[in-house]
Amino acid sequence: MFNKAVLMGRICNDLELKTIQSGISVLSFRLAVDRSYQAKGEERKSDFFNIVAWRSTAEFISKYFSKGRMILVEGELQTRQYVDKNGNNQNIVELVVSAAHFTGEPKSSGSYGSYSNPVPPPPTVNDAPAISSGSTSDFVETGSDDDYPF
């Protein structure tokens, strides 16, 4: 069996880290994910997903992300049932997060709140070593294919 989902979108609600009776941290939020297609003349549509994170992953998300921020989450889809206030059985599908990632969104993005990225930025093009152009004389001819171990 295989159950893995990866979603990237914007956090829809204020994040509130909670602790259950056993002392384990839990965080629930909704994630808005734009659809990959758009009908001509219409606005792009979004889907909204229920997300649940536990323990250190929940703490990480609540510390570094906020409402409106872009996040990439990966995990397993799970279903659960509950009885609503009218006595009806309801099914809900949630993504239980196993990992959360920054998306490379700029730190200053207007009204989305503060954002702190503990990961150092990737090297710029100027930091990369120079590559010299070569010629066919740089290569050595080998024997037959029998010389290779594969």
Side-chain angles (χ1 to χ4, degrees):
M1 311 284 172
F2 187 76
N3 179 356
K4 183 162 185 158
V6 178
L7 298 172
M8 185 171 80
R10 293 201 181 273
I11 298 171
C12 297
N13 53 297
D14 291 325
L15 299 177
E16 183 181 347
L17 184 66
K18 297 180 181 178
T19 305
I20 61 174
Q21 289 179 345
S22 61
I24 297 173
S25 300
V26 63
L27 179 69
S28 298
F29 59 95
R30 303 252 310 153
L31 190 68
V33 179
D34 288 343
R35 292 186 180 173
S36 60
Y37 60 89
Q38 178 179 354
K40 189 173 184 177
E42 291 184 11
E43 288 187 31
R44 185 176 300 274
K45 295 184 179 181
S46 297
D47 292 300
F48 297 85
F49 298 95
N50 298 311
I51 311 295
V52 178
W54 294 90
R55 298 177 175 81
S56 61
T57 305
E59 294 165 6
F60 170 79
I61 293 171
S62 70
K63 182 176 180 180
Y64 293 107
F65 294 91
S66 59
K67 180 179 179 180
R69 298 299 304 173
M70 185 81 72
I71 188 171
L72 186 141
V73 290
E74 56 183 289
E76 292 184 355
L77 292 173
Q78 291 184 1
T79 59
R80 64 179 169 92
Q81 294 181 341
Y82 69 96
V83 178
D84 66 13
K85 60 185 173 185
N86 298 326
N88 299 320
N89 288 333
Q90 298 291 329
N91 290 320
I92 189 168
V93 177
E94 300 171 320
L95 177 81
V96 179
V97 179
S98 60
H101 306 278
F102 296 103
T103 62
E105 181 181 39
K107 288 184 182 181
S108 58
S109 58
S111 63
Y112 295 128
S114 62
Y115 173 74
S116 175
N117 186 349
V119 179
T124 62
V125 174
N126 296 336
D127 295 338
I131 299 174
S132 62
S133 61
S135 68
T136 56
S137 64
D138 293 339
F139 295 94
V140 177
E141 179 136 358
T142 62
S144 70
D145 287 344
D146 296 335
D147 294 341
Y148 298 116
F150 48 87

